[in-house]
Amino acid sequence: MTKIILMSLVAAAGLAVAQQEPVRLWEADVPGALGKAEHDVPTLTPFLADPAKSLGSAVVVLPGGGYGGLAQHEGRDYALWLKQQGLSAFVVQYRLGSKGYRHPVMLQDAARAMRLVRSRAIEWKVDPKRIAIMGSSAGGPLLRRC
């Protein structure tokens, strides 16, 4: 019996980690990509609310960083706080100017992230009509296209 419980806990822990693995915004080639390196492939990292606490709402988070980097405290940290409040959060790693990208590429990534969350809303247990988007600093202007 103890072995079954231990295996269940290990499986649940593995599922929790898997839920927070980054998801590519595009499964195929990324439009406008300058290469195939990690910084050329925009992603979305889900921070799914605990089902017992979930409000069924979500927030797509666009961190700031001056298009030179992505600020952890405006991405991951915001997502963790939102998750504690019962909201699922999705942090976007969009392409950056420091890696050779120029507007409107970042806007495309933000819009694609919003579409991806809406399209997978049932899987992620969020209401597609209750998805917000927020951006800090450089992430703020990206809201215009979403």
Side-chain angles (χ1 to χ4, degrees):
M1 181 67 160
T2 304
K3 187 175 183 179
I4 293 171
I5 293 171
L6 181 59
M7 287 172 47
S8 297
L9 290 173
V10 169
L15 179 60
V17 170
Q19 289 176 335
Q20 293 191 14
E21 286 297 312
V23 176
R24 289 173 57 112
L25 293 184
W26 283 273
E27 289 181 23
D29 291 338
V30 178
L34 301 175
K36 295 196 183 278
E38 186 176 326
H39 62 264
D40 295 310
V41 181
T43 61
L44 181 76
T45 303
F47 291 81
L48 302 177
D50 176 351
K53 208 175 171 184
S54 178
L55 301 172
S57 300
V59 180
V60 174
V61 180
L62 300 164
Y67 302 116
L70 297 175
Q72 285 279 349
H73 67 281
E74 295 174 355
R76 182 180 179 277
D77 292 356
Y78 286 2
L80 290 172
W81 185 84
L82 289 163
K83 183 178 173 177
Q84 288 176 339
Q85 310 314 307
L87 298 162
S88 291
F90 299 86
V91 179
V92 182
Q93 179 181 315
Y94 52 88
R95 291 171 281 177
L96 300 166
S98 62
K99 301 298 182 185
Y101 290 98
R102 300 290 176 255
H103 285 281
V105 169
M106 298 85 168
L107 294 168
Q108 291 171 328
D109 294 347
R112 178 67 176 199
M114 192 68 161
R115 287 193 307 272
L116 181 61
V117 174
R118 284 186 182 133
S119 73
R120 295 180 67 178
I122 293 170
E123 174 188 344
W124 285 327
K125 296 179 178 43
V126 298
D127 182 342
K129 295 179 183 171
R130 298 181 64 191
I131 301 170
I133 188 164
M134 66 177 278
S136 298
S137 189
L142 302 179
L143 302 177
R144 293 181 298 175
R145 183 136 180 220
C146 302

